[in-house]
Amino acid sequence: MRTGMDKCCAKTNQMGLLALTMMTASNMMGSGVFMLPATLARIGSISVWGWGLAFLAIAALALIFCKMSELFPRNGGIIASITASFGPFIGLQMTLFYWLSTWIGNCALLLAGVGYLSFFFPVLHNPFYGTTACIVLLWCSVLWGLRGAKRVGYMQMFTGSCMVLVILSIGVMGWGHFDVARYQAAWNLSGVSDHQAIINAATISLWGFLGIESASVSFSQVKNPRRTIPLATLLGLGLAGLCYASSTNVMMGLLPHDVLMNSSSPFADSAKAMWGSTAGAIISAMVVIACLGAMPGWQILQTEVPRAAAEDNLLPAFFARTNRHGVPWCGLVFTAALMTALLLFTLSPNLQNQFQSVITLAISASLLPYAFAAVSLPVMMVVHRRGGDASFWTYCCLSLVALSFIALALMTESASTVVWGIILQMITIPLYLLYVARRHRLNKGVPQHNLTEQSFSLLSKELS
């Protein structure tokens, strides 16, 4: 149990609006903006429409998350809201899905950073050395993250500035080197119809916006969360959208298609093509700083959700153990060990293939929590007696937009991805039984067969 001094120390380590905005934007752009141009090049420049479709869906989710943080402000953000709306069984499932998406996504951040680091050290193109570098950098970021959210916030302001500078330098100056004929020639190279290519690009582009919920999930690490979280969410999305719009298009007409498609450092290669090797090296160094600097911010997400679940007895208690800086250190170290195993498991001769494998896993794990979060908002508004006004129907429409996009993304998933999702859901069944048994031990005076009924009757009582 934390002492009063520990709680005071943790409170002084909380983030303000600027730091939280930069963390939200950095979490979204961390690896998406730096590696996705090469991934989307396999589809073609038509993928710009996929970016637009994904942005509309994420904007709807951003507004939903802002409203959720207003109606249900608590640690754990959207996952806590899902648990309150649908009960502990669905809450446990979505906690696991979201937790998986965060630490799997962190692996992609590391791969992106090492991809640009290979600009200086070509030996990192070797899968063994590249993965070893990822693992070393991972544990360095763990040591920094253990120092608390305030230190992470300072890092995010610096590394986020590097990120924006890199993106805008290419996104603005690159138009002077833009080749319209090259852009048009690579319009749709996916081998499928334009409609299907846009859907595929939108699904992949979703990776670039994962992290929009960063502010709401980090509730316990934020100063004045009722005001700060909605503002940081919208400002972070706007900043990320501006950077994506300014850079993604220009690179499709800047580099030869085969070069962009096989590049492990597309921004550095773009700078090199425009201004020479020195500029490429500077851009590559700044991207490395930006990618690796976003790691501690994502680590807050990958520990805060299981921490909130552990406090509700949904997950083992060690996830809620914090150090004197208010950081759930056990959960941080445990997930870092899992990330190490995943990096070794996904070893590939091609860094781009390894990156695509990892982001496919992360996107798949994030879709269901986003869907349940969108559905839970109308339920919460009814619970809070706000089910009859105009804003209720507005948010219902936003939920429908978000659900339509998520359903579209799920339909394009590969069969193997769907199978793994089903397996994960099956694993939650025995875990939920353990949760019920633990609740029974903690509530010895309550008959065991009534525990589950009581958990699921909480919402119906409020509705009545």
Side-chain angles (χ1 to χ4, degrees):
M1 182 177 291
R2 289 165 54 193
T3 65
M5 184 176 293
D6 289 339
K7 292 180 180 179
C8 179
C9 183
K11 192 175 183 64
T12 61
N13 275 287
Q14 292 178 328
M15 289 181 285
L17 176 61
L18 179 60
L20 189 63
T21 298
M22 294 306 297
M23 188 189 85
T24 303
S26 296
N27 285 354
M28 281 188 282
M29 294 189 294
S31 62
V33 73
F34 294 130
M35 290 292 281
L36 276 182
T39 304
L40 291 172
R42 302 182 180 192
I43 295 175
S45 50
I46 195 176
S47 58
V48 64
W49 291 103
W51 272 118
L53 182 60
F55 182 82
L56 290 176
I58 292 297
L61 282 171
L63 293 172
I64 289 169
F65 295 160
C66 288
K67 192 65 175 179
M68 290 172 71
S69 65
E70 174 190 332
L71 295 179
F72 194 73
R74 64 169 290 183
N75 189 30
I78 62 172
I79 306 301
S81 301
I82 291 171
T83 303
S85 299
F86 296 101
F89 181 54
I90 296 297
L92 175 61
Q93 286 188 327
M94 295 307 106
T95 295
L96 290 176
F97 272 101
Y98 184 79
W99 177 58
L100 284 172
S101 74
T102 54
W103 63 261
I104 290 173
N106 271 344
C107 292
L109 265 177
L110 289 165
L111 291 169
V114 170
Y116 278 84
L117 199 58
S118 66
F119 189 92
F120 303 102
F121 307 104
V123 69
L124 295 178
H125 287 296
N126 180 295
F128 175 77
Y129 294 118
T131 301
T132 301
C134 285
I135 293 171
V136 171
L137 292 170
L138 164 63
W139 287 98
C140 288
S141 70
V142 168
L143 293 177
W144 182 265
L146 289 171
R147 301 294 296 170
K150 190 173 183 179
R151 288 179 181 265
V152 171
Y154 289 147
M155 174 181 281
Q156 300 278 216
M157 286 188 280
F158 170 67
T159 60
S161 300
C162 290
M163 181 179 296
V164 172
L165 184 60
V166 167
I167 295 167
L168 293 182
S169 66
I170 302 298
V172 174
M173 303 300 292
W175 290 105
H177 302 262
F178 186 80
D179 187 338
V180 176
R182 178 177 291 161
Y183 186 86
Q184 292 176 337
W187 181 246
N188 184 1
L189 305 176
S190 61
V192 298
S193 67
D194 286 359
H195 175 72
Q196 186 61 47
I198 291 172
I199 293 174
N200 292 343
T203 304
I204 295 174
S205 299
L206 179 62
W207 165 250
F209 293 104
L210 293 186
I212 184 62
E213 73 291 342
S214 301
S216 66
V217 172
S218 307
F219 182 86
S220 67
Q221 306 284 355
V222 178
K223 296 176 182 177
N224 191 12
R226 282 184 179 272
R227 173 184 176 275
T228 303
I229 287 174
L231 282 175
T233 299
L234 296 177
L235 290 173
L237 176 62
L239 182 59
L242 174 64
C243 291
Y244 286 146
S246 65
S247 62
T248 305
N249 266 325
V250 73
M251 295 181 70
M252 294 287 187
L254 180 61
L255 291 175
H257 178 71
D258 58 334
V259 173
L260 178 59
M261 186 173 63
N262 296 305
S263 175
S264 60
S265 52
F267 274 80
D269 289 340
S270 297
K272 183 179 179 181
M274 290 190 292
W275 305 309
S277 298
T278 301
I282 294 172
I283 291 294
S284 189
M286 294 180 72
V287 171
V288 171
I289 293 171
C291 283
L292 300 181
M295 274 292 297
W298 268 104
Q299 286 174 335
I300 289 178
L301 298 192
Q302 77 184 42
T303 55
E304 284 302 314
V305 168
R307 171 189 181 179
E311 289 172 348
D312 290 336
N313 295 316
L314 286 172
L315 289 179
F318 76 86
F319 280 106
R321 293 175 188 166
T322 58
N323 62 13
R324 62 189 179 90
H325 300 290
V327 178
W329 68 273
C330 286
L332 182 59
V333 172
F334 180 70
T335 50
L338 293 176
M339 289 170 64
T340 302
L342 180 65
L343 288 167
L344 294 172
F345 182 74
T346 58
L347 262 175
S348 170
N350 186 295
L351 183 66
Q352 186 59 244
N353 290 338
Q354 188 176 12
F355 178 81
Q356 188 164 358
S357 299
V358 170
I359 67 170
T360 299
L361 290 172
I363 291 170
S364 301
S366 67
L367 288 175
L368 283 179
Y370 280 0
F372 274 96
V375 173
S376 67
L377 178 61
V379 175
M380 292 166 60
M381 294 186 76
V382 171
V383 169
H384 287 79
R385 305 294 190 269
R386 301 189 185 185
D389 56 12
S391 66
F392 172 76
W393 297 109
T394 299
Y395 284 105
C396 284
C397 291
L398 290 174
S399 296
L400 184 60
V401 169
L403 283 173
S404 298
F405 176 77
I406 293 169
L408 201 61
L410 286 171
M411 286 189 291
T412 62
E413 293 287 355
S414 65
S416 60
T417 301
V418 174
V419 169
W420 280 109
I422 294 172
I423 291 174
L424 179 61
Q425 286 184 309
M426 293 174 64
I427 291 174
T428 60
I429 296 174
L431 289 177
Y432 181 70
L433 294 177
L434 291 175
Y435 158 75
V436 172
R438 186 162 57 250
R439 285 290 300 272
H440 176 61
R441 288 196 299 271
L442 295 174
N443 301 274
K444 292 183 178 180
V446 180
Q448 185 170 358
H449 65 277
N450 287 333
L451 286 174
T452 306
E453 295 176 8
Q454 288 180 357
S455 300
F456 284 100
S457 67
L458 291 176
L459 182 60
S460 60
K461 288 180 179 178
E462 293 187 54
L463 287 171
S464 62

